[in-house]
Amino acid sequence: MTHPTILAGPVTGEAVQALTVWSADRGSEAAFQALLAASASAVRSARTAVADVQHASLSLAQARAAEAISEEMEITAQALELGLSEQGACLLDAKPGPVAALRAQLPTLASWRGRRPRSPEARPTWLNATSNAIRTLGETAEHIDALADNQPEPSPSRQLGRDIAARLRHHRNALMAEVARLVD
């Protein structure tokens, strides 16, 4: 059987479906669904950093470049989410545990101790937003690679993780090129 790859471009629903069939043939649906859910969540999270770049853009060209990356990441997240089974979708809808819920409330709890609430932060500069997006995309790619590397070779989970990480690095490199153009 030829194993599908999606490295050449954006992650599509068709590619995810082909990998889903491969995972069913191998009997590795649980690992594949877990990687799908983790990847969809990670891509959506990293997309917010790219959206910040778009909003802080100095020119229409920068805004369009960031928008193109953001749109591809949205398509990727949607394709991943569409590949989720009912059980896999539960991983996305899971409520945070008690420790995570408490951490989310920490800014509120800090104000109870007499601290003044923080003032709204100024809008980040394009360079700051882009630096953050570059870092976020790189770290997200590393995390997805770590998940993929713990899967057997060859497997649909490993292939999907590697392909998603490669696309995130591609986007990181595109943003790095934008910074280089500005600096030169």
Side-chain angles (χ1 to χ4, degrees):
M1 170 181 192
T2 302
H3 305 301
T5 60
I6 47 180
L7 269 177
V11 177
T12 64
E14 293 81 19
V16 171
Q17 183 59 36
L19 290 168
T20 301
V21 169
W22 182 19
S23 78
D25 291 345
R26 288 178 49 93
S28 61
E29 295 99 340
F32 185 72
Q33 288 295 311
L35 190 95
L36 271 177
S39 297
S41 179
V43 167
R44 285 212 181 273
S45 180
R47 184 176 177 257
T48 61
V50 175
D52 290 345
V53 173
Q54 184 179 356
H55 296 300
S57 294
L58 302 171
S59 69
L60 184 58
Q62 289 173 345
R64 286 184 177 160
E67 180 181 26
I69 293 170
S70 182
E71 286 176 359
E72 183 181 316
M73 291 177 76
E74 176 62 23
I75 290 167
T76 298
Q78 287 177 2
L80 295 170
E81 289 167 354
L82 287 173
L84 287 169
S85 66
E86 190 174 317
Q87 290 87 5
C90 289
L91 296 172
L92 287 180
D93 298 332
K95 294 189 187 300
V99 173
L102 182 60
R103 282 188 183 137
Q105 295 299 316
L106 283 178
T108 304
L109 295 176
S111 66
W112 290 354
R113 290 183 280 176
R115 291 185 183 172
R116 294 186 327 196
R118 288 199 281 169
S119 60
E121 294 181 21
R123 184 173 157 188
T125 65
W126 177 83
L127 189 56
N128 287 342
T130 305
S131 296
N132 181 52
I134 289 168
R135 187 187 81 255
T136 300
L137 289 168
E139 289 173 356
T140 303
E142 287 177 17
H143 294 151
I144 292 174
D145 263 341
L147 291 173
D149 288 346
N150 286 311
Q151 302 302 312
E153 180 72 57
S155 72
S157 300
R158 190 173 186 124
Q159 183 67 49
L160 179 66
R162 285 181 175 171
D163 292 347
I164 292 168
R167 288 309 294 172
L168 292 171
R169 284 189 190 90
H170 170 79
H171 297 317
R172 179 201 61 198
N173 294 343
L175 290 176
M176 288 171 61
E178 287 292 320
V179 171
R181 273 193 283 279
L182 183 68
V183 173
D184 285 342

